[in-house]
Amino acid sequence: MNPHKVPFWLRWLLPVVLVITWLGIAGVGGPTFGRLDEVSSNDQASFLPAGAEATEAGDWQVKFRDSKEIPAVVILESDAALTPPQLGEAAKLKAGIQALRLGSAVVGPIPSQDGKAVQFIVPVSSSNELRTHVQELRDTVRSGVPGVHAFVTGPAGLTADLVNAFGGIDGILLLVALGAVFVILLLVYRSLVLPLAVLFTSMFALCAAILLVFGMAKMGWIQLNGQSQGILSILVIGAATDYALLFVARFREALTHTSNRTRAVVTAWKKSFEPILASGATVIVALLCLLFSDLNSNKALGPVAAAGILCALFAALTLLPALMALLGRAAFWPFRPKLLPDDEREPEIVTGLEGQKGLWRGVATLVSKRPRVVWVASTLILLVAATGVLQLKANGVPQTDVILSASDAVDGQKALARHFDAGSGSPAVVVASQSAAGQVLEKVKATQGVGDAYLLAEGSVPLPGAPGAPSEPAVRDGKVLINATLNSAADSVEAENTVKSLRSAVKVADPGALVGGVTAIALDTNTTAQHDLAVIIPIVLVVIFFILMLLLHSVVAPLLLVLSVVLSYAAAMGVSAWVFNGVFKFSGADATVPLFGFVFLVALGVDYNIFLMSRVREESLNHGTRPGILRGLAVTGGVITSAGVVLAATFAALGVIPIMFLVQLAFIVAFGVLLDTVLVRSLLVPALAYDIGARIWWPGKLARRPVPLAKGAEEERAVSRF
């Protein structure tokens, strides 16, 4: 082909303009990465829906205080009874804490009954400086009283440590993910240039996604938190790399048929556009289904992650083709693809394995010889693995178990439980009518698991520690507030059971009474998350099914693909449950883990089946269904497996952040993607499709045309004998 027949604007102008445009996006989006904290919140209460009882109670609680504050609990603990000089120093410490001006009045020191500890309740402003304020408080109390162990815990301390744990998102997470992708691409392509081009595509897509997400959060359209921020980075890098690998495979294939790099790019773009677009659309729509969630944290992740996939999609279809158009064969240096002689370019296809070699020819041969044995055995393996789901404990975990790294707040919570009512500093909050205040207070005090309770007095601090029951309670719009200190730690299962009992008890005296606080927030979060799981799963499956119907022009194939990824998801969750319980010894799993695992595994699992079946359909149109299945499996095996390994590696990088939820999600998605890539897409789906034959395309026209019109009955018989 004559390169001069390709217009200048297509050969040089358009690729250069696209690259410059993406450089501009990266130049603006890159610096924005460090500003995400400005629009991010890790307040657990903000995750709840407006209609949750804990949310309504929290709204009333705000009316009883002048500023937005959350309590920190300072614990001074000694191995023996505190001496009078130590108690004196503890009393002086109150002035030092108050001098920090972190919030309203400090309550304490409150001695423990065993005399070995004292505590202070320190209200801390819940601003963007919370982490700094907590660190200042820790520095002050550690040097305040000699010979004691000092801790800062409570909601403020735990939140600060949680924010510190998320600090790895900005640096280590990206380095680990990008490093893993780079190494895998080096091994796959044995090229120095191509991995860099793919990584640039992924990073520029992430910059665009950050810019888009920052803008949406700034305008108040979405709610961003550290959890969704970390998932965004991994998802964009993984998805952009996957789409890039599919395009690169088509580009390399095209370079064996033409010496013109621009024509090769155009051919690759046309061949990969539909599966990449369908894949991206499937993931985006599946993620947007999270908008049907009642839990705000789930609802927030939907548009955030969807925006990331959208940017990954555009980068793979614009920036990467532009880079390949400029680099040509040099992108694969030193192993550049060679132009095949004319007589080697189009082998006569009868069985589907002509011209194929290596591992994937062997896999395709196995599928063709024993299709039923292969798909039945694969299904049984997945069913056995899925039985582990029965051991999954996804009912939430104590907040002290969420942080997997060393935490002063976690240690302080343990010290608090040793010497005080474990719920000190994180009381249950009861909002009741003024007319029923006395009866409600009696019900609260009589509830098993409640250590102390009192009506909040006018002008006092809405925290535990005020002596006695005030005669003049604070009243706001006909409501009073009761603080109830629980015997159990606020983040424990026992505390949640106490809150359930409280809600039943207080409504006898006042049907409109509300119970909120830290424990109630956790309880309502778990309940809402389990409701979301039952609502979102059917919606996602129906949406994906219809997208696959449009892509494959079939009902049978989409139905089988959806069933296969659901089975793969169940197997991944089953194995994960065994690993979490038996290997990592986790106390449980966050209630949102099954839903997030489902959305990512089903959407991303369908991705690889889209890559496979779109190529199978293309080959089936030319060579017949069964040869098309074998040829599609053989030619896509390497690239899809590489894409699966890359995505698994990027999600595994989430494990560097010491947050139980992200570690669990990292394992579920990484293992699930590998399982889907190696077993489901390589064996189960092609073997089942091969066994069914042309009926896989029912009711489309391809189901009634098992072989191409250009081939005769003799060739069809050859295929059936194979």
Side-chain angles (χ1 to χ4, degrees):
M1 295 183 184
N2 189 344
H4 296 292
K5 292 183 180 180
V6 179
F8 173 81
W9 67 268
L10 186 58
R11 281 191 297 124
W12 293 107
L13 183 59
L14 181 59
V16 170
V17 169
L18 286 173
V19 171
I20 292 175
T21 301
W22 276 100
L23 283 171
I25 293 173
V28 178
T32 307
F33 193 81
R35 298 179 57 197
L36 287 179
D37 287 343
E38 299 176 14
V39 293
S40 179
S41 171
N42 291 299
D43 181 10
Q44 188 182 12
S46 65
F47 292 179
L48 284 170
E53 183 171 340
T55 305
E56 295 182 44
D59 293 339
W60 277 103
Q61 190 177 4
V62 170
K63 298 180 181 181
F64 286 87
R65 59 190 183 194
D66 298 328
S67 61
K68 292 185 177 181
E69 296 174 339
I70 57 177
V73 179
V74 174
I75 299 293
L76 303 180
E77 181 188 34
S78 176
D79 296 332
L82 292 168
T83 63
Q86 287 177 319
L87 290 173
E89 291 295 326
K92 294 178 183 178
L93 181 61
K94 180 176 182 178
I97 296 174
Q98 197 74 53
L100 295 175
R101 300 183 181 276
L102 303 179
S104 53
V106 176
V107 177
I110 305 170
S112 63
Q113 289 186 353
D114 61 10
K116 295 181 179 181
V118 297
Q119 70 166 316
F120 297 87
I121 310 298
V122 184
V124 180
S125 174
S126 58
S127 65
N128 290 333
E129 301 297 323
L130 175 66
R131 182 168 53 170
T132 303
H133 293 334
V134 170
Q135 188 57 51
E136 291 174 353
L137 180 58
R138 284 172 173 160
D139 293 339
T140 299
V141 301
R142 283 169 182 164
S143 59
V145 181
V148 301
H149 305 289
F151 308 94
V152 176
T153 185
L158 288 167
T159 300
D161 286 356
L162 189 65
V163 173
N164 287 331
F166 275 116
I169 288 176
D170 294 335
I172 297 176
L173 177 62
L174 284 179
L175 289 176
V176 171
L178 293 174
V181 172
F182 183 72
V183 170
I184 293 170
L185 293 178
L186 277 177
L187 295 174
V188 171
Y189 289 107
R190 295 174 295 169
S191 166
L192 296 175
V193 179
L194 189 61
L196 292 176
V198 173
L199 285 182
F200 277 132
T201 301
S202 301
M203 283 302 300
F204 284 16
L206 180 57
C207 290
I210 288 169
L211 192 60
L212 182 58
V213 167
F214 180 84
M216 292 192 296
K218 194 76 172 177
M219 298 176 71
W221 294 354
I222 61 172
Q223 189 176 65
L224 185 65
N225 55 58
Q227 174 180 292
S228 56
Q229 183 180 332
I231 293 173
L232 171 69
S233 301
I234 291 303
L235 193 60
V236 172
I237 293 173
T241 303
D242 276 5
Y243 302 150
L245 288 175
L246 184 62
F247 176 84
V248 167
R250 285 292 199 169
F251 178 56
R252 184 169 190 160
E253 185 178 327
L255 286 175
T256 65
H257 292 76
T258 178
S259 60
N260 188 296
R261 66 175 187 269
T262 306
R263 291 192 182 278
V265 167
V266 172
T267 300
W269 194 89
K270 289 179 178 179
K271 294 289 188 179
S272 61
F273 175 78
E274 187 177 78
I276 290 177
L277 182 63
S279 171
T282 301
V283 180
I284 288 172
V285 173
L287 289 168
L288 289 179
C289 288
L290 289 173
L291 291 172
F292 291 98
S293 171
D294 285 337
L295 200 62
N296 286 339
S297 57
N298 292 350
K299 188 178 296 184
L301 179 63
V304 169
I309 295 295
L310 183 65
C311 293
L313 189 67
F314 273 105
L317 291 175
T318 57
L319 175 58
L320 185 65
L323 292 172
M324 294 300 101
L326 296 175
L327 293 170
R329 281 181 166 77
F332 298 92
W333 181 87
F335 299 98
R336 304 183 186 191
K338 297 179 180 179
L339 187 65
L340 296 176
D342 291 338
D343 58 352
E344 294 184 24
R345 294 183 189 178
E346 296 294 340
E348 187 71 13
I349 303 299
V350 177
T351 67
L353 296 177
E354 290 79 4
Q356 304 304 315
K357 56 185 178 179
L359 171 65
W360 293 104
R361 178 185 174 91
V363 173
T365 300
L366 174 64
V367 166
S368 67
K369 289 182 176 180
R370 297 286 186 272
R372 190 161 300 176
V373 172
V374 170
W375 74 258
V376 169
S378 301
T379 301
L380 289 175
I381 292 172
L382 294 173
L383 288 173
V384 170
T387 59
V389 171
L390 300 175
Q391 301 182 31
L392 184 65
K393 298 179 290 186
N395 299 314
V397 295
Q399 194 173 7
T400 49
D401 289 345
V402 170
I403 304 171
L404 300 179
S405 59
S407 167
D408 181 71
V410 171
D411 294 339
Q413 198 68 32
K414 294 175 182 177
L416 184 69
R418 286 193 290 267
H419 305 286
F420 297 91
D421 286 334
S424 297
S426 304
V429 177
V430 181
V431 179
S433 299
Q434 182 182 7
S435 59
Q439 298 94 316
V440 172
L441 181 59
E442 289 179 6
K443 292 289 186 182
V444 172
K445 288 183 175 180
T447 300
Q448 186 175 0
V450 175
D452 186 25
Y454 64 92
L455 280 162
L456 181 71
E458 190 68 58
S460 67
V461 181
L463 296 168
S471 56
E472 295 296 332
V475 180
R476 301 289 185 272
D477 299 331
K479 299 286 186 181
V480 296
L481 187 145
I482 299 171
N483 277 330
T485 302
L486 307 183
N487 293 330
S488 305
D491 57 359
S492 65
V493 175
E494 293 78 10
E496 290 188 8
N497 291 332
T498 301
V499 167
K500 291 177 184 178
S501 300
L502 269 176
R503 285 177 169 173
S504 299
V506 298
K507 284 178 172 55
V508 173
D510 180 5
L514 302 169
V515 178
V518 173
T519 306
I521 290 172
L523 175 62
D524 289 351
T525 298
N526 294 338
T527 303
T528 307
Q530 292 171 10
H531 170 266
D532 285 349
L533 188 65
V535 171
I536 301 298
I537 284 181
I539 296 175
V540 171
L541 292 178
V542 170
V543 167
I544 289 178
F545 176 73
F546 278 105
I547 292 176
L548 289 174
M549 281 181 57
L550 294 174
L551 174 67
L552 300 176
H553 307 284
S554 166
V555 171
V556 176
L559 180 61
L560 295 178
L561 293 180
V562 169
L563 290 176
S564 72
V565 294
V566 170
L567 182 57
S568 176
Y569 162 74
M573 293 302 298
V575 173
S576 297
W578 286 329
V579 172
F580 296 162
N581 298 338
V583 178
F584 294 140
K585 306 294 183 183
F586 288 148
S587 58
D590 192 279
T592 59
V593 163
L595 178 59
F596 283 6
F598 174 83
V599 171
F600 289 126
L601 280 182
V602 171
L604 297 173
V606 168
D607 255 13
Y608 299 126
N609 285 320
I610 286 176
F611 293 166
L612 170 66
M613 294 305 290
S614 61
R615 184 61 182 262
V616 165
R617 188 174 189 279
E618 177 186 330
E619 298 293 343
S620 297
L621 286 169
N622 295 324
H623 310 299
T625 297
R626 285 195 169 97
I629 291 171
L630 300 183
R631 184 168 173 81
L633 173 61
V635 298
T636 63
V639 62
I640 296 179
T641 301
S642 300
V645 172
V646 166
L647 189 65
T650 52
F651 262 93
L654 278 174
V656 305
I657 302 176
I659 302 295
M660 183 183 291
F661 167 81
L662 292 179
V663 171
Q664 291 176 332
L665 186 64
F667 182 86
I668 290 170
V669 177
F671 177 78
V673 165
L674 290 177
L675 182 68
D676 195 83
T677 304
V678 174
L679 184 62
V680 177
R681 191 270 314 162
S682 300
L683 295 173
L684 175 58
V685 169
L688 183 57
Y690 194 90
D691 197 17
I692 295 174
R695 290 170 295 173
I696 195 77
W697 308 116
W698 185 88
K701 294 180 180 179
L702 194 54
R704 299 186 295 275
R705 194 184 62 169
V707 293
L709 295 178
K711 296 185 182 294
E714 181 180 349
E715 186 171 298
E716 173 63 16
R717 286 195 299 271
V719 173
S720 63
R721 287 196 304 268
F722 179 75

